[in-house]
Amino acid sequence: DQQVKQNSPSLSVQEGRISILNCDYTNSMFDYFLWYKKYPAEGPTFLISISSIKDKNEDGRFTVFLNKSAKHLSLHIVPSQPGDSAVYFCAASAASGGSYIPTFGRGTSLIVHP
Amino acid sequence: DADVTQTPRNRITKTGKRIMLECSQTKGHDRMYWYRQDPGLGLRLIYYSFDVKDINKGEISDGYSVSRQAQAKFSLSLESAIPNQTALYFCATSDLQGRDEQFFGPGTRLTVL
């Protein structure tokens, strides 16, 4: 059973508009969340993270929102640019014996049209 | 130079063959991981290692084995490759805490015929 779900396999947005990528989780022990971005023929790269003690973290055009009661997080990209076209993975981790092994969602492919 | 390198980048092999994928890192991280990516399935953890003497199975370890030859090197072996092991394989590293970001290699595309 998936513990981290990205229910939208793909998203198409026009350049300059907002992109909103969603992620839901089921494990209430998750307390740290990350977003990764992946271009074709490259490995994923870290984008932004948020701890469960916060409900928002912002880095430039990227903002992650966390709603713990709903077990939901979202990544907002404003404004969207064609270079943002990539697959975005949501990941969540929990302390387990002092380690944090992330669980990844299946990814959302974002296409930003010029 | 890349911090996390993987060799080979592409490999085509036949069913039943033994194959090894190699990963090297210059980040000085203790933790290393092997993932596979299949279309629509995201990244799934195969094995992870917290140091040279610590190897742990991940979500999908059956059919795979690993070796941590040094802090900087972590290899993944398929003892007898089968077609459903056709996938994109990624090595990753993270620091001792493991809480923060992982650094991924460029991936190895493996095709088993």
Side-chain angles (χ1 to χ4, degrees), chain A residues 64-100:
Chain A
V64 56
F65 295 92
L66 176 62
N67 182 334
K68 290 186 291 293
S69 62
K71 294 189 178 68
H72 176 84
L73 64 155
S74 60
L75 174 68
H76 293 211
I77 307 174
V78 183
S80 300
Q81 299 174 353
D84 296 328
S85 297
V87 176
Y88 290 79
F89 291 102
C90 170
S93 67
S96 174
S99 65
Y100 292 89

Side-chain angles (χ1 to χ4, degrees), chain A residues 31-32 34 36 38 41-46 51 87 89 93-95 98-107, chain B residues 9 31 33 35 37 40-45 48 50 88 90 96-107:
Chain A
D31 63 353
Y32 197 74
L34 310 96
Y36 287 84
K38 184 187 179 302
E42 296 183 11
T45 56
F46 170 75
S51 166
V87 176
F89 291 102
S93 67
S99 65
Y100 292 89
I101 306 297
T103 299
F104 285 84
R106 295 186 175 186
Chain B
R9 292 295 312 277
R31 297 186 171 199
Y33 311 78
Y35 291 91
Q37 183 191 7
L41 293 181
L43 293 164
R44 293 184 292 167
L45 184 64
Y48 61 100
F50 286 169
L88 196 51
F90 291 102
L96 185 60
Q97 290 298 317
R99 155 139 283 189
D100 294 323
E101 63 187 287
Q102 291 174 303
F103 296 84
F104 286 83

Side-chain angles (χ1 to χ4, degrees), chain A residues 4-74:
Chain A
V4 178
K5 301 178 183 180
Q6 294 178 257
N7 291 320
S8 298
S10 64
L11 176 66
S12 182
V13 171
Q14 194 160 11
E15 181 178 8
R17 299 288 189 106
I18 184 172
S19 295
I20 300 176
L21 295 90
N22 294 305
C23 179
D24 296 292
Y25 62 95
T26 57
N27 187 344
S28 58
M29 299 301 291
F30 286 147
D31 63 353
Y32 197 74
F33 306 89
L34 310 96
W35 284 94
Y36 287 84
K37 176 179 181 179
K38 184 187 179 302
Y39 292 119
E42 296 183 11
T45 56
F46 170 75
L47 188 58
I48 193 168
S49 62
I50 187 167
S51 166
S52 60
I53 63 173
K54 296 184 176 181
D55 55 17
K56 176 183 174 181
N57 189 27
E58 190 172 355
D59 183 2
R61 296 186 296 114
F62 303 90
T63 303
V64 56
F65 295 92
L66 176 62
N67 182 334
K68 290 186 291 293
S69 62
K71 294 189 178 68
H72 176 84
L73 64 155
S74 60

Side-chain angles (χ1 to χ4, degrees), chain B residues 12-78:
Chain B
I12 300 174
T13 191
K14 294 183 178 180
T15 297
K17 294 290 187 180
R18 183 179 188 274
I19 185 167
M20 179 182 289
L21 309 183
E22 298 188 356
C23 176
S24 295
Q25 54 113 347
T26 58
K27 298 198 71 66
H29 288 163
D30 286 313
R31 297 186 171 199
M32 298 187 74
Y33 311 78
W34 275 104
Y35 291 91
R36 69 177 274 178
Q37 183 191 7
D38 299 275
L41 293 181
L43 293 164
R44 293 184 292 167
L45 184 64
I46 307 172
Y47 270 95
Y48 61 100
S49 170
F50 286 169
D51 65 40
V52 175
K53 296 180 180 179
D54 180 74
I55 304 288
N56 303 279
K57 292 183 178 180
E59 177 187 356
I60 53 164
S61 60
D62 287 349
Y64 301 95
S65 63
V66 291
S67 174
R68 185 82 183 265
Q69 301 95 323
Q71 186 206 35
K73 297 185 182 296
F74 192 36
S75 60
L76 176 72
S77 294
L78 287 69

